Amino acid sequence: MYNSIVARSFSQHGQKKMRRGAFFGGLVLGFFICIYSTPYQGPLAFGKYIILTSRTKLFSCSSRLVKYSDSRADVTTPVKSRIVCNFTEPESDFCEMHGDIRILGSSSTIFIPHFSVADMFTKNNSSGIKPYARKSDEGALERVRQFRFSQEMHRCTQNHSVPTVLFSIGEYTGNYFHSFSDVVIPLYTTSRKFNGQVQFLLADKKVSWTKKFRVVLMKLSNYEAIDIDKEDGVHCFPGMIIGLKKHKELSIDPLESPDYSMTNFREFLRSSYYLKREYAIRLGSKGKKRPRLLIISRKRTRTFMNENEIGKMAQKLGFDVVLAEASSNISEFSKLVNSCDVLMGVHGAGLTNIVFLPKNAVLIQVVLFGGVEWLATTYFGDPSKNMNLRYLEYKISEKESSLIQKYPLDDEVFKNPQSIAEKGWPYYKSVYLDNQNVKLDVFRFKTTLLEALQMLSM
Ligand SMILES: *[C@@H]1O[C@H](CO)[C@@H](O)[C@H](O)[C@H]1NC(C)=O
Ligand SMILES: *[C@@H]1O[C@H](CO)[C@@H](O)[C@H](O)[C@H]1NC(C)=O
Ligand SMILES: *[C@@H]1O[C@H](CO)[C@@H](O)[C@H](O)[C@H]1NC(C)=O
Ligand SMILES: *[C@@H]1O[C@H](CO)[C@@H](O)[C@H](O)[C@H]1NC(C)=O
Ligand SMILES: *[C@@H]1O[C@H](CO)[C@@H](O)[C@H](O)[C@H]1NC(C)=O
């Protein structure tokens, strides 16, 4: 499953180019569409965004960011409402709304009765929001539920006293990496501030996913999450955030989220899953304890062909070695990961488990042959640096790749990976990611393990 996902991420490059064009198109269109409907008195434009009030019915879409607020305080609408939407984020569209917010899940409609907010979306022909944080990848959003906004008035069948965060589990979350990068981390930065006083609404819910991440969901919210797709009652909230904001892959950007850093997130995981170790071992001169090395084993693709040999060599260097396949039982596996000081593995979703490593631990990413370095860096290399971990990369040579059994050394596969990439992602992926295993040259690899030991003694 992961493969098809990396596939999409990869094809993003091309898509981004196309989208950039589309984006400017959208802007131009936006400027034509977004016009005053009634004359406005008073200051309005604030650089990039605009405040709209229901009285003025003014409309502007500068930079596609719309800030909408209703300051009427008449008898029929005692609730002050305010809506801020941002559609300029690279990975997620989202709106934050305060006031009388209602939702009918079965029709995917959000009602904001005291606003002509529908204008905001209908006038420029936008149909709504897909609350999954990977919008640069059209494939990822294909089957994500879209929510529309409406001004209609509907009776509440259930009143909630706390605000809600509405998000989609999406299509890619069968993959462990995407679960964290697209949902869990953005959900953390979005909802931690409520200190549990928040109701989650889950779109595109998958029972297996909510079961798997139950600990995290329960820790962030004091209320049982609602499967919103099937709800045919109208739920009413004093506020709503729809969509989750994602910064970079598997990371929290301190500039975008001053209150909650990746360090806070890892601390949160440590307390949620009762993980004991805050710091990795520090090898001193006394050095009686042995550092623990976790080798992430893969069984179907990108396997280590000589796991045992690697393990033995590491033992000789002074490691206690654990060889394990990443398990879907997070409570269990996070404890194993947290007990280790070095984690090594071939690029793949299993490496996401680095979020559970203690501080100062070392990630060794084994990088396949075929120019996949950028994948390695974007998905795990850079993120590991955001987590107070040390990072080492081991690039395998032709000789350590199973490709050598399939292709002659003068084949394009070895001579010119770029030309393989030009044949399209599916082909590239099938050559280098789906059908390449690794037989580490343990003598060559030894240097990297020694470096890891060196790092642990600093
Ligand atoms: C309409 O506006 C919304 C939000 O302002 C934006 O997401 C969308 O791309 C716009 N559509 C067009 C066609 O400009
Ligand atoms: C909206 O998103 C853009 C792009 O990330 C950001 O620069 C801007 O500050 C955001 N605006 C608000 C009000 O959050
Ligand atoms: C709005 O969208 C509809 C359906 O997608 C399309 O038929 C129509 O031409 C669009 N109108 C404008 C003004 O873009
Ligand atoms: C929800 O609150 C509104 C306003 O306070 C009230 O009129 C309505 O009866 C309540 N609905 C339910 C189901 O409690
Ligand atoms: C995970 O493993 C622990 C300990 O082995 C067990 O108690 C728990 O029920 C498992 N959780 C799930 C969701 O399977």
Side-chain angles (χ1 to χ4, degrees):
M1 180 158 308
Y2 184 56
N3 301 341
S4 70
I5 286 135
V6 176
R8 317 228 182 208
S9 319
F10 188 80
S11 63
Q12 243 167 249
H13 273 324
Q15 280 174 13
K16 263 189 189 142
K17 264 186 227 144
M18 275 158 49
R19 288 185 61 82
R20 222 165 277 143
F23 175 75
F24 286 117
L27 263 187
V28 171
L29 185 59
F31 281 123
F32 281 118
I33 291 166
C34 303
I35 42 162
Y36 294 76
S37 57
T38 54
Y40 176 75
Q41 323 84 11
L44 198 79
F46 291 86
K48 272 191 152 179
Y49 55 89
I50 293 284
I51 295 192
L52 301 174
T53 74
S54 48
R55 208 177 13 221
T56 56
K57 284 208 174 23
L58 184 129
F59 213 83
S60 173
C61 304
S62 175
S63 292
R64 299 158 86 210
L65 174 75
V66 181
K67 200 165 182 173
Y68 202 148
S69 95
D70 178 355
S71 51
R72 287 181 308 178
D74 59 50
V75 193
T76 50
T77 59
V79 199
K80 283 199 176 183
S81 306
R82 199 177 128 85
I83 298 173
V84 179
C85 296
N86 199 342
F87 299 95
T88 59
E89 292 283 341
E91 288 295 17
S92 26
D93 289 339
F94 62 90
C95 291
E96 188 161 353
M97 302 171 260
H98 301 275
D100 183 357
I101 314 293
R102 308 175 182 199
I103 178 166
L104 176 58
S106 56
S107 75
S108 310
T109 313
I110 295 162
F111 305 106
I112 312 165
H114 308 303
F115 267 70
S116 58
V117 68
D119 291 358
M120 175 170 115
F121 291 93
T122 50
K123 271 196 184 154
N124 78 342
N125 224 7
S126 158
S127 33
I129 286 194
K130 290 191 169 197
Y132 185 77
R134 193 165 282 271
K135 83 177 191 198
S136 60
D137 178 346
E138 275 146 29
L141 291 192
E142 241 161 52
R143 264 172 279 177
V144 169
R145 181 170 275 242
Q146 175 162 284
F147 289 84
R148 288 186 309 272
F149 292 83
S150 156
Q151 203 188 341
E152 284 165 52
M153 180 69 97
H154 281 261
R155 285 179 80 93
C156 301
T157 42
Q158 198 172 335
N159 288 328
H160 298 263
S161 58
V162 297
T164 180
V165 172
L166 165 57
F167 61 97
S168 166
I169 300 303
E171 228 187 308
Y172 285 2
T173 50
N175 174 271
Y176 198 53
F177 175 84
H178 286 275
S179 288
F180 272 93
S181 194
D182 302 350
V183 181
V184 175
I185 295 174
L187 182 63
Y188 170 80
T189 53
T190 305
S191 63
R192 189 70 181 123
K193 65 179 177 206
F194 295 110
N195 206 10
Q197 287 302 95
V198 61
Q199 170 72 59
F200 291 152
L201 300 181
L202 267 58
D204 309 306
K205 180 179 163 178
K206 295 186 200 82
V207 177
S208 57
W209 194 89
T210 40
K211 216 170 131 192
K212 188 167 173 179
F213 287 95
R214 186 168 176 77
V215 171
V216 167
L217 293 174
M218 296 305 284
K219 192 89 177 171
L220 287 173
S221 162
N222 301 339
Y223 304 86
E224 193 71 35
I226 295 173
D227 177 358
I228 198 65
D229 296 351
K230 298 191 190 85
E231 279 297 304
D232 49 16
V234 176
H235 288 259
C236 299
F237 297 93
M240 173 187 278
I241 293 176
I242 173 171
L244 304 173
K245 185 166 158 183
K246 180 165 91 183
H247 310 146
K248 288 188 201 123
E249 298 298 352
L250 211 61
S251 306
I252 297 173
D253 180 349
L255 293 176
E256 294 214 44
S257 168
D259 298 331
Y260 300 105
S261 65
M262 204 58 193
T263 307
N264 298 137
F265 175 69
R266 278 167 31 80
E267 204 51 52
F268 165 80
L269 289 179
R270 218 162 63 77
S271 105
S272 303
Y273 289 103
Y274 303 106
L275 307 178
K276 291 207 192 90
R277 299 170 78 222
E278 183 176 2
Y279 288 97
I281 196 171
R282 175 126 189 254
L283 300 174
S285 44
K286 284 169 269 159
K288 257 179 271 155
K289 282 203 76 181
R290 291 162 71 91
R292 256 162 94 98
L293 167 70
L294 173 59
I295 304 176
I296 299 280
S297 171
R298 293 173 60 98
K299 289 281 177 274
R300 280 174 303 148
T301 58
R302 289 170 252 155
T303 61
F304 282 126
M305 293 151 78
N306 57 340
E307 285 172 341
N308 291 337
E309 195 189 355
I310 301 166
K312 274 187 198 139
M313 188 269 294
Q315 262 173 340
K316 274 191 208 143
L317 290 184
F319 284 100
D320 281 341
V321 179
V322 184
L323 183 67
E325 227 182 321
S327 136
S328 67
N329 183 330
I330 303 181
S331 298
E332 206 174 40
F333 203 69
S334 61
K335 287 186 179 63
L336 175 65
V337 173
N338 183 257
S339 75
C340 294
D341 306 289
V342 180
L343 181 152
M344 70 170 277
V346 180
H347 175 83
L351 296 189
T352 311
N353 284 297
I354 57 175
V355 293
F356 302 115
L357 282 174
K359 287 178 192 160
N360 297 340
V362 184
L363 163 64
I364 303 175
Q365 183 168 202
V366 175
V367 181
L368 294 167
F369 187 82
V372 292
E373 286 82 357
W374 71 270
L375 273 174
T377 311
T378 312
Y379 286 77
F380 301 108
D382 289 343
S384 73
K385 290 168 196 159
N386 202 241
M387 297 185 206
N388 299 311
L389 299 175
R390 279 89 171 240
Y391 179 63
L392 292 171
E393 237 170 51
Y394 178 84
K395 295 194 178 80
I396 68 165
S397 65
E398 291 99 323
K399 288 188 197 117
E400 294 168 281
S401 166
S402 66
L403 295 176
I404 198 123
Q405 294 155 7
K406 274 204 202 150
Y407 306 93
L409 259 175
D410 59 1
D411 193 279
E412 283 205 318
V413 164
F414 291 111
K415 290 279 167 263
N416 192 359
Q418 182 57 35
S419 73
I420 304 290
E422 278 155 17
K423 290 182 185 161
W425 170 252
Y427 183 66
Y428 179 87
K429 173 174 157 280
S430 97
V431 171
Y432 295 114
L433 290 169
D434 297 347
N435 293 294
Q436 178 174 201
N437 296 323
V438 176
K439 186 169 181 199
L440 281 192
D441 172 346
V442 291
F443 295 104
R444 186 170 168 247
F445 182 63
K446 193 172 163 181
T447 321
T448 305
L449 279 181
L450 287 173
E451 250 179 283
L453 283 175
Q454 179 69 30
M455 284 175 158
L456 288 175
S457 56
M458 288 195 293

